[in-house]
Amino acid sequence: MKKVLMTMIAFVFAFALTSCNVDSHKRVFDKVQIGYEVGDSIDHVTQDITLPTTTIVKGATLEWVSSNPEVISNTGVVTRPVDADVEVTLTLKVTINEVVKEKEYILTVIALEEEVNTYEVTFDSNGGSTVEAVTVEEGSTVTKPADPTKE
């Protein structure tokens, strides 16, 4: 009888500890929020993000793991791609009493817009009628304007 009672107490204690961990993990996941700069969100990341590393749950440790550390590091540093937008999965690993639970966040990092240099081309009509200036992109050619007139 004593063995049965001790086994039941151990079972109840183990169940309570496991339940507590589940509730604690849920509390952490409910409270943790990724910090975004103004104009950014989970669907539109252009600047570094803030990844919380502490929580109010005593004894919990938080670790972030990026599926693409070249675009978003494990610490939230963002390096925008040039070619196209990139989806990055950030995994939050929460450890409480040696029990690890994970939650994933999928963020879209917006590609940099390719900078194109433009130039304004002006024409000297040497006292003739005005020839309007044109703006051209670097590497492009200028179409010959109409000839100016002069009395």
Side-chain angles (χ1 to χ4, degrees), residues 60-74:
T61 59
L62 280 59
E63 177 188 2
W64 292 92
V65 179
S66 173
S67 66
N68 192 340
E70 294 80 31
V71 177
I72 300 179
S73 74
N74 295 339

Side-chain angles (χ1 to χ4, degrees), residues 114-121 135-143:
E114 191 175 326
E115 249 183 71
V116 178
N117 292 324
T118 58
Y119 301 93
E120 182 176 59
V121 179
T135 302
V136 294
E137 291 183 2
E138 184 172 352
S140 297
T141 57
V142 177
T143 304

Side-chain angles (χ1 to χ4, degrees), residues 4-139:
V4 172
L5 184 59
M6 292 300 281
T7 304
M8 287 178 62
I9 290 172
F11 177 75
V12 169
F13 179 73
F15 179 76
L17 185 59
T18 304
S19 300
C20 184
N21 282 344
V22 170
D23 290 342
S24 296
H25 281 89
K26 183 175 179 344
R27 282 194 354 228
V28 171
F29 292 134
D30 289 346
K31 293 289 182 186
V32 168
Q33 291 186 355
I34 297 173
Y36 301 98
E37 295 295 326
V38 174
D40 280 1
S41 67
I42 197 166
D43 299 318
H44 184 272
V45 177
T46 61
Q47 302 172 67
D48 291 348
I49 57 176
T50 303
L51 300 174
T53 56
T54 60
T55 180
I56 60 169
V57 176
K58 188 173 181 175
T61 59
L62 280 59
E63 177 188 2
W64 292 92
V65 179
S66 173
S67 66
N68 192 340
E70 294 80 31
V71 177
I72 300 179
S73 74
N74 295 339
T75 59
V77 175
V78 173
T79 305
R80 292 173 65 188
V82 176
D83 299 334
D85 298 350
V86 174
E87 279 192 353
V88 177
T89 302
L90 289 177
T91 303
L92 172 60
K93 293 183 177 185
V94 176
T95 305
I96 302 172
N97 295 328
E98 298 181 18
V99 176
V100 179
K101 302 272 182 188
E102 298 179 351
K103 181 176 181 180
E104 291 184 344
Y105 302 82
I106 300 173
L107 287 73
T108 302
V109 180
I110 306 302
L112 286 169
E113 293 179 17
E114 191 175 326
E115 249 183 71
V116 178
N117 292 324
T118 58
Y119 301 93
E120 182 176 59
V121 179
T122 58
F123 302 94
D124 181 358
S125 63
N126 197 23
S129 59
T130 302
V131 178
E132 294 297 319
V134 292
T135 302
V136 294
E137 291 183 2
E138 184 172 352

